[in-house]
Amino acid sequence: MSEIIDPSAPGKAPSGKSSEAIQRLKPNAVGLVGVMFMAVATAAPITAMVGNVPIAVGFGNGAYAPAGYFVATIVLTLFAIGYAAMSKHITATGAFYGYISHGLGRIVGLGAGFLTALAYMVFEASLIGIFSFFGNDLFKSFFDVDVPWIVFAVVMLAVNTVLTYFDINLAAKVLGVFLITEIVMLALMALSVVFTGGGPQGWSLGSLNPLNGFQSLTGEVAGTDGSMIAVAGSAGVGLFFAFWSWVGFESSAMYGEESRNPKKIIPIAVVSSVIGIGAFYVIVSWLAIVGTGPQNAIALAQDSETAGNIFFNPVHEHLGTWAVDLFKILLMTGSFACGMAFHNCAARYLYAIGRENVVPGMRKTIGATHPVHGSPYIAGFVQTAFAAVVVLFFDLSGRDPYTELYGLMALLGTTAIMIVQALAAFSVISYFHVHKRHPETAHWFKTFLAPLLGGTGMLYVIYLLAKNASFAAGDAATDWIFAAIPYVVGIVGIGGVLLALFLKFKDPNRYAELGRTVLQESHER
């Protein structure tokens, strides 16, 4: 059974045994475009490209980095096909939490819910770090003023809190503006390379062959000073950073309760987001490498000081200095948009768990919605407080906003979310083929083979993460926080499992509600 929320009655009590009404989010607040803006914003295209592609080029699969993105697109599309099939029947703000609870059971589901909440909560803190780093760098470059990074962090925390207080439509509009500008900028760079006849070293068509994504960088290239330098990398590093660039795309499903006709638009948003982001990443990364020159790109990527020039050089050559300056501004606004999107994700996961009264009193606090705006405003305040504590800790302990706040919190969140994504893929198979739910939707490819391959791919990415975590952390790998990441993930995930087991034996009624609050128009039949 599922707790059913009546979409036409925001304050109506559910059909379950609880005497307290479940307060729902504002219905029909956002359409397909708004949902896709929210999902794509969490992937942060401009930050993902400028931040991750140079690492893949310099220390992963070299000029074949776009092929790595092609591989990631294929695997994540397979995952998305099964994920979309489940979203047709279960519409819940706690998307992964609800899906895994229905597919693999309430015990695994609550553990997954805790891990997902952790991931989104630390992702906001992570993006505050990189936003503050870009803000500090921008003010020093443009105005020769060294503004402490914590100032930018406080501003971002405050704005995110205000936007979460109102309904999702306002946040979607703000994100839409930022997202469109960064996509236009990347597209201009790519088109400028095409219309000027390519780059100095040919079109590098091998970069588009997905099989080349598994080739490791090796050999020699001419350095920026003309001398030959030996280069080497691991295809696993390139593939990991390619997959990392997608983190957050799955968030489209959590906006189902606030969207119009969720059974139709959420599956479309899930699959379209993956394919759209993937195609864009492959083309943009390929043309950036072509525009710079494959060998030149590898040489530039060896030094973090010049790595960004893989993108900046074609922009400067074909569009001018103004475009490079705009590019740097959009790096800042893009990271802000990404952090805002993750703030919304975190608030909704806290709300989703809270409204089921997992701990007595949560339904009236973090599980409550604003009486006018229908937003998870208390959960939003809780998320702001959590992010503020994390940010202040890194500031007061003298840690760097980029390598440590951004890098370490991103690794923590990515570790948690990758585990949940793998569980979600296998929950699709269990839901349709073990529990035999909705045989009219069950399909040998869409709900079995696709999620099986997608889930297996996710397990491979988790292996890559474990193998390359020290490299991904860089200088921060010596920090005790880095060493604590697997323990934090284990404690949070196991904590959710143990709480579910406790409720199963001590409070069966509360246990029965876990992961079962769904929207009426797509509830279990």
Side-chain angles (χ1 to χ4, degrees):
M1 289 295 292
S2 298
E3 291 279 5
I4 302 168
I5 307 174
D6 185 341
S8 64
K12 187 176 180 180
S15 61
K17 296 179 181 181
S18 175
S19 60
E20 297 177 355
I22 290 180
Q23 299 178 42
R24 72 157 301 188
L25 299 167
K26 185 178 180 179
N28 304 314
V30 65
L32 175 60
V33 174
V35 170
M36 290 188 65
F37 275 159
M38 300 295 292
V40 177
T42 56
I46 197 166
T47 307
M49 287 287 92
V50 179
N52 293 346
V53 169
I55 298 174
V57 170
F59 306 99
N61 25 30
Y64 295 147
Y69 278 89
F70 204 152
V71 171
T73 302
I74 294 170
V75 172
L76 290 169
T77 298
L78 291 170
F79 166 82
I81 289 171
Y83 191 56
M86 208 158 184
S87 70
K88 293 179 181 179
H89 300 287
I90 301 174
T91 299
T93 296
F96 279 148
Y97 170 45
Y99 294 1
I100 296 171
S101 294
H102 280 83
L104 299 179
R106 294 170 175 85
I107 295 172
V108 178
L110 189 60
F114 276 29
L115 283 177
T116 309
L118 168 69
Y120 291 143
M121 290 171 78
V122 298
F123 277 145
E124 184 191 4
S126 172
L127 268 298
I128 288 172
I130 195 170
F131 167 79
S132 302
F133 171 80
F134 285 142
N136 173 267
D137 181 67
L138 197 68
F139 270 68
K140 283 193 291 188
S141 299
F142 285 12
F143 310 112
D144 197 26
V145 176
D146 188 5
V147 180
W149 71 266
I150 192 65
V151 173
F152 296 100
V154 171
V155 170
M156 184 168 173
L157 280 166
V159 174
N160 283 349
T161 303
V162 171
L163 289 173
T164 304
Y165 185 81
F166 297 100
D167 71 70
I168 192 63
N169 195 41
L170 175 60
K173 289 177 180 177
V174 174
L175 286 174
V177 172
F178 288 149
L179 184 61
I180 289 171
T181 54
E182 61 182 283
I183 288 176
V184 168
M185 187 72 253
L186 288 170
L188 283 174
M189 182 278 299
L191 290 172
S192 72
V193 173
V194 172
F195 288 112
T196 54
Q201 296 168 342
W203 286 96
S204 187
L205 295 178
S207 298
L208 299 178
N209 181 351
L211 294 178
N212 288 336
F214 298 95
Q215 291 194 26
S216 298
L217 172 65
T218 184
E220 290 186 337
V221 297
T224 54
D225 60 355
S227 62
M228 298 302 293
I229 55 174
V231 293
S234 166
V237 170
L239 287 168
F240 167 67
F241 277 92
F243 277 95
W244 195 357
S245 302
W246 261 271
V247 168
F249 82 89
E250 73 289 336
S251 63
S252 53
M254 75 174 61
Y255 297 107
E257 293 183 23
E258 299 165 271
S259 66
R260 295 184 284 274
N261 194 7
K263 291 179 69 176
K264 180 180 179 180
I265 73 169
I266 296 303
I268 294 173
V270 168
V271 177
S272 298
S273 297
V274 173
I275 296 175
I277 293 172
F280 190 71
Y281 281 171
V282 171
I283 293 171
V284 168
S285 61
W286 170 55
L287 288 174
I289 290 170
V290 168
T292 303
Q295 299 300 306
N296 296 339
I298 293 171
L300 288 170
Q302 301 306 306
D303 185 349
S304 60
E305 295 294 324
T306 60
N309 290 338
I310 293 174
F311 289 85
F312 297 146
N313 283 357
V315 170
H316 183 268
E317 180 180 351
H318 303 310
L319 300 174
T321 303
W322 68 269
V324 176
D325 291 340
L326 179 58
F327 208 115
K328 292 179 179 179
I329 292 172
L330 293 176
L331 281 170
M332 183 178 176
T333 59
S335 58
F336 175 82
C338 183
M340 186 198 307
F342 277 125
H343 182 94
N344 278 289
C345 292
R348 277 155 181 77
Y349 255 90
L350 289 171
Y351 157 79
I353 295 172
R355 69 181 178 181
E356 294 185 347
N357 228 21
V358 175
V359 176
M362 291 180 76
R363 180 169 289 169
K364 293 181 178 180
T365 52
I366 65 172
T369 57
H370 193 280
V372 176
H373 305 299
S375 61
Y377 70 115
I378 297 178
F381 290 142
V382 171
Q383 168 57 21
T384 297
F386 173 84
V389 168
V390 172
V391 170
L392 287 173
F393 167 76
F394 275 80
D395 178 49
L396 295 175
S397 60
R399 287 176 165 83
D400 182 72
Y402 182 72
T403 58
E404 292 170 310
L405 177 54
Y406 169 67
L408 293 176
M409 291 300 97
L411 274 174
L412 172 56
T414 301
T415 303
I417 206 68
M418 289 294 181
I419 293 171
V420 175
Q421 285 181 348
L423 290 172
F426 297 123
S427 73
V428 174
I429 298 172
S430 178
Y431 180 76
F432 288 105
H433 299 281
V434 177
H435 298 301
K436 305 294 183 181
R437 301 284 190 179
H438 300 285
E440 75 280 5
T441 301
H443 186 272
W444 69 270
F445 179 74
K446 294 180 180 178
T447 60
F448 183 78
L449 186 58
L452 177 62
L453 294 174
T456 303
M458 293 297 178
L459 292 177
Y460 176 61
V461 177
I462 294 170
Y463 161 74
L464 291 178
L465 173 58
K467 183 178 179 181
N468 299 294
S470 295
F471 175 82
D475 293 339
T478 58
D479 197 309
W480 66 263
I481 297 175
F482 172 77
I485 286 175
Y487 298 100
V488 173
V489 171
I491 289 170
V492 172
I494 295 171
V497 168
L498 293 176
L499 178 56
L501 286 170
F502 173 81
L503 293 176
K504 181 177 182 179
F505 294 106
K506 296 296 184 179
D507 195 341
N509 289 335
R510 200 180 302 277
Y511 172 79
E513 293 185 14
L514 297 181
R516 292 306 191 270
T517 305
V518 300
L519 196 64
Q520 185 175 23
E521 55 225 87
S522 58
H523 77 276
E524 299 288 272
R525 293 184 174 87

